[in-house]
Amino acid sequence: MLNVVFDESAWGSMMQARAGHAGKGKDWDSCGITLTLGVGPCGDPFGSQRKEILSQLFGIFPEGEETAETLLRQSRESVRKVMDRAAAGEDLRLWSSDQPEERCGACWLMGQLADLPRRGKVFLVELPSWVRAGKGTLVQYVSWGEVEPEEWESFLPLAQEVPDLLLRAMQQTWRRLEEENAPLRAVVNGRLCSVPADFYDHFLWKELRAGPEEFHQAKVIGNVLGRYQLGMSDGWLALRMEEMIQKNILIPVTQPPEDGPRYHRVLRKGPAFPR
């Protein structure tokens, strides 16, 4: 059975899980389709628009362009692998969650599988909202990328075979999103929806208004991700703050290090910051 994940960290963790199951390596054969489909236009996932979005998201890091190229290449190879093996009758196990990138990736791939004239069975493992981790302890995950290698096996009983009706329903969901072609997608009340680019700005504004005049940008982004568990990447929040800088809402005080993310710098509230 081939496992398919839609988060780069999840793929790395699952590959470590496979390495730790030497006698059962085949059960953990995996590939990653990490196209960040929750952000940007919904057109050709391997076209120029997708490459541009990935370049913007990873451009906040050193070698961002190279990272975007690598993700596109690896995802293209993974899709080819998935479709070939599904068409040959092999079963698939897809790992999805309410994190927009994973939900979008699963819907897009389901749409591709639905059009195959012949395929193996498709199983879906949905990340639960909470997991018991010892006496008196509960763990909440935002995405499969937070799961440790030794934990994957415990989620296998949650796998459910996807009936053709659900396969087609997820295909229609992605087609609807393609027609709307919004700049962003989010899971709202359990439903994958098109949303405006400023959908998450409220949480940034909340942190900025409560904070000092001068602050570390990385701390604001970290607080938003940690406190609100939005399932959105640091790259997207950094891009939203970049727009605030362009509008003189925020002003850079220091320059980021050459070998670090662009948001590793100090900012202050600018003349256009709403008081």
Side-chain angles (χ1 to χ4, degrees):
M1 182 179 290
L2 180 61
N3 295 276
V4 187
V5 295
F6 305 95
D7 178 275
E8 188 178 12
S9 297
W11 191 15
S13 177
M14 184 172 281
M15 286 192 289
Q16 291 183 48
R18 181 183 182 183
H21 290 77
K24 299 184 291 182
K26 189 175 179 181
D27 294 338
W28 291 105
D29 191 6
S30 62
C31 60
I33 302 174
T34 53
L35 294 167
T36 319
L37 294 177
V39 177
C42 290
D44 181 4
F46 300 106
S48 59
Q49 288 184 320
R50 180 53 39 190
K51 180 181 177 181
E52 175 63 23
I53 287 295
L54 290 174
S55 296
Q56 290 178 20
L57 289 172
F58 291 96
I60 64 171
F61 303 102
E63 303 177 350
E65 187 71 25
E66 181 180 338
T67 301
E69 292 276 5
T70 299
L71 289 177
L72 279 172
R73 175 178 51 79
Q74 290 178 341
S75 295
R76 186 181 292 109
E77 293 171 355
S78 291
V79 170
R80 186 180 301 115
K81 179 179 179 180
V82 169
M83 300 304 289
D84 287 348
R85 290 172 63 167
E90 184 171 347
D91 295 343
L92 304 176
R93 187 191 290 128
L94 277 58
W95 301 76
S96 182
S97 72
D98 280 348
Q99 200 257 10
E101 318 308 342
E102 294 184 329
R103 181 69 69 85
C104 286
C107 285
W108 177 83
L109 184 59
M110 290 290 193
Q112 307 307 303
L113 294 170
D115 290 334
L116 287 177
R118 177 181 176 273
R119 63 176 179 272
K121 296 179 181 179
V122 180
F123 295 86
L124 184 64
V125 188
E126 287 280 6
L127 185 66
S129 57
W130 58 269
V131 176
R132 189 181 298 277
K135 186 176 180 180
T137 304
L138 297 178
V139 177
Q140 287 186 302
Y141 297 104
V142 175
S143 73
W144 287 108
E146 297 179 337
V147 173
E148 298 294 333
E150 64 273 13
E151 296 174 332
W152 287 92
E153 193 166 17
S154 66
F155 292 100
L156 287 177
L158 301 180
Q160 294 187 335
E161 184 176 353
V162 179
D164 285 345
L165 190 62
L166 178 56
L167 203 70
R168 293 292 180 184
M170 294 180 75
Q171 182 185 53
Q172 289 302 315
T173 293
W174 186 252
R175 287 179 176 174
R176 169 178 57 81
L177 295 171
E178 282 185 315
E179 291 176 359
E180 295 168 349
N181 204 30
L184 203 62
R185 281 152 292 285
V187 176
V188 181
N189 293 330
R191 184 170 182 265
L192 192 56
C193 301
S194 298
V195 295
D198 62 358
F199 185 74
Y200 296 105
D201 285 11
H202 163 76
F203 302 98
L204 280 172
W205 282 115
K206 188 174 182 179
E207 287 297 317
L208 290 170
R209 289 193 172 103
E213 287 293 307
E214 193 168 287
F215 56 89
H216 287 276
Q217 185 179 3
K219 184 176 181 180
V220 170
I221 291 175
N223 286 346
V224 171
L225 294 175
R227 290 176 180 172
Y228 305 110
Q229 302 290 296
L230 302 174
M232 181 48 58
S233 71
D234 56 347
W236 179 255
L237 296 180
L239 286 178
R240 296 304 300 163
M241 294 184 77
E242 199 68 37
E243 184 172 315
M244 296 178 185
I245 291 172
Q246 294 173 4
K247 295 179 179 178
N248 282 329
I249 294 172
L250 302 174
I251 305 293
V253 175
T254 64
Q255 295 297 316
E258 293 184 0
D259 59 347
R262 189 183 305 164
Y263 57 73
H264 282 190
R265 58 185 171 181
V266 174
L267 304 178
R268 63 177 172 83
K269 298 173 183 178
F273 190 90
R275 307 290 173 173

